Amino acid sequence: MSTSILLDRLSMTLCVIQGKSVSGGCTIRASFACFLLLILSGCPSTASEQQCNPQTQSGCANSGQACALDTTGAPTCLPPIGQISEGGRCTGVEPGVDPTTLDGAELCAPGLGCIRYLGIARCLRFCDPGRIDSDDACTQTTVNPEHQHALSGFSSCSITITDRPEIGACALPCRFADNVDSACPSNTRCAVPFGGRTAICVAAGQRGIGDSCGAGCDCVENAQCVPDLSGFVCRRKVNASGQCQADEFTQNLFGTSDPLSDDGLATYSVCTACRTLGYRGLSYCPDQARCLSQNGQLASFSASDASRLTDFLFEQSAQIGPVLVGAYRSDDGQWRWSQNETLIDNQLWADGLPVDGVACVGLSADGFLRGLEDCQHAVLCDQSYRPSCDAGE
């Protein structure tokens, strides 16, 4: 084979690698340049990947075009007719579709890409996840003010495109405690995703307050899925004033960080009807109704648990008084644990078995059980029997 034919074939091959048309010809010099580029840095494998750079908005033949992504994550040049602003819902560009034929109302505004993350496709800015100052780059808004999101300056480069780790997107935070003005699109909610630190807009779930939750069964709009001793559970988010109801406890979500707080470091918080004791999946509730609303039941325990439980219980409560437990008098006159119907150990009673007229049983600060006629007390709640949403129960 002659040298000229070999160079011609090499020229055609390298021009295809570059994504250029070979019909107009390709010089040996251009082919050699691409050959060197192939050796030094590697020519991208497809024409669409070579077309443009979304982070720098460069590489489009027409200076008026914008660089975005198709649904496979490949960069593509689009006409500057997009109307969807940063953070808005979008459908994305399909591979093989001529961008010039698309309706501007379906496209993101220039400088934005339709990025699907956690099941929601939104128009977001691009960033380079490999840069040390990638988060700083996201806080520097580069979109036309007309299409800029209200919280654009608080975004972070925390999204990477599937199968394209070199391309990132600026994730927008949202107002965690404000369900009316969370800055999320319709049919979404503001929550901290599993493994995340910052609240972003995610798909709304169906699990109510006190229900089990998980990656496949998330919470309703005003709730956050948080870890619990018996799994994950939906807790009510604090309100816009950072407050819970008078009969609820505040639980900070450690490991989270709210960039919209005064110092940008405050953690998010949720409200819970019962406070976890950190022992055997038990919790302290102001009353029995609150325990039941959290899918719990009055708890039982053994003699070896009594002293430890009283240390936890009366440290949590503002009162030094009895806390109701799950005991009942059976037909044979014996007192049993309602959970498993076993007899209550005699050594747990302070003054022997309760006499007639006793309606319920409470655990006192001294670690002993006593019969009570008035059952309007706080309760020791066991939530370890909460159904698992992952099991479809």
Side-chain angles (χ1 to χ4, degrees):
M1 183 181 295
S2 67
T3 303
S4 61
I5 295 177
L6 178 62
L7 288 175
D8 285 342
R9 291 190 177 180
L10 176 62
S11 174
M12 293 177 64
T13 301
L14 293 177
C15 284
V16 171
I17 291 176
Q18 281 189 300
K20 296 181 179 178
S21 170
V22 297
S23 60
C26 187
T27 65
I28 294 177
R29 178 178 296 178
S31 299
F32 185 68
C34 188
F35 182 66
L36 287 178
L37 181 62
L38 180 64
I39 294 175
L40 295 175
S41 61
C43 285
S45 59
T46 69
S48 60
E49 290 174 345
Q50 175 67 14
Q51 193 171 24
C52 61
N53 185 324
Q55 289 107 330
T56 61
Q57 286 298 304
S58 61
C60 290
N62 187 331
S63 60
Q65 291 183 322
C67 185
L69 302 180
D70 63 24
T71 54
T72 66
T76 183
C77 292
L78 299 176
I81 57 175
Q83 300 298 316
I84 304 177
S85 296
E86 182 180 14
R89 299 289 291 269
C90 55
T91 56
V93 181
E94 296 293 335
V97 174
D98 182 0
T100 60
T101 65
L102 298 176
D103 183 354
E106 300 176 355
L107 299 174
C108 297
L112 303 171
C114 188
I115 310 298
R116 177 170 291 276
Y117 183 61
L118 297 179
I120 300 176
R122 304 177 70 190
C123 290
L124 301 174
R125 287 177 293 133
F126 294 102
C127 60
D128 184 352
R131 289 179 50 176
I132 297 177
D133 63 343
S134 58
D135 283 349
D136 294 335
C138 281
T139 59
Q140 299 171 7
T141 55
T142 56
V143 179
N144 187 308
E146 178 185 354
H147 297 292
Q148 181 179 316
H149 192 275
L151 303 180
S152 184
F154 298 95
S155 57
S156 61
C157 188
S158 56
I159 299 175
T160 54
I161 309 304
T162 303
D163 298 327
R164 300 301 299 268
E166 78 281 8
I167 302 178
C170 298
L172 291 165
C174 52
R175 300 184 183 96
F176 181 78
D178 194 337
N179 293 318
V180 176
D181 188 20
S182 65
C184 286
S186 59
N187 299 319
T188 67
R189 66 190 181 92
C190 184
V192 181
F194 283 93
R197 289 178 53 86
T198 300
I200 61 174
C201 302
V202 300
Q206 302 295 323
R207 310 297 294 184
I209 306 297
D211 290 339
S212 295
C213 52
C217 47
D218 220 334
C219 306
V220 293
E221 181 181 18
N222 66 332
Q224 168 70 39
C225 191
V226 300
D228 190 76
L229 291 176
S230 55
F232 285 84
V233 62
C234 294
R235 299 294 190 202
R236 189 192 323 276
K237 296 188 291 186
V238 296
N239 60 28
S241 301
Q243 303 294 319
C244 293
Q245 297 177 10
D247 57 351
E248 291 181 320
F249 301 103
T250 300
Q251 177 184 342
N252 294 325
L253 303 183
F254 297 108
T256 63
S257 179
D258 184 2
L260 305 181
S261 60
D262 291 339
D263 59 3
L265 300 175
T267 59
Y268 300 107
S269 299
V270 294
C271 305
T272 175
C274 304
R275 177 169 289 177
T276 298
L277 298 179
Y279 181 69
R280 283 189 50 221
L282 302 177
S283 57
Y284 170 84
C285 305
D287 56 57
Q288 187 169 354
R290 305 294 278 175
C291 174
L292 296 175
S293 70
Q294 298 291 297
N295 289 307
Q297 55 186 307
L298 295 187
S300 63
F301 55 90
S302 65
S304 60
D305 294 324
S307 61
R308 180 170 293 187
L309 281 173
T310 52
D311 289 342
F312 282 112
L313 276 170
F314 297 101
E315 193 176 282
Q316 301 292 334
S317 66
Q319 60 171 13
I320 301 298
V323 177
L324 294 184
V325 296
Y328 78 101
R329 191 199 300 269
S330 59
D331 293 339
D332 59 5
Q334 300 292 319
W335 283 88
R336 301 176 182 271
W337 292 118
S338 54
Q339 287 186 359
N340 50 28
E341 299 186 353
T342 59
L343 291 174
I344 297 177
D345 193 333
N346 285 334
Q347 64 178 313
L348 286 173
W349 297 105
D351 305 309
L353 293 178
V355 297
D356 292 339
V358 170
C360 49
V361 173
L363 175 65
S364 301
D366 58 9
F368 291 101
L369 298 178
R370 288 179 170 82
L372 303 172
E373 295 182 5
D374 176 13
C375 299
Q376 301 301 312
H377 294 279
V379 301
L380 178 63
C381 184
D382 187 347
Q383 296 173 308
S384 62
Y385 293 89
R386 181 187 295 115
S388 170
C389 71
D390 295 319
E393 299 177 12

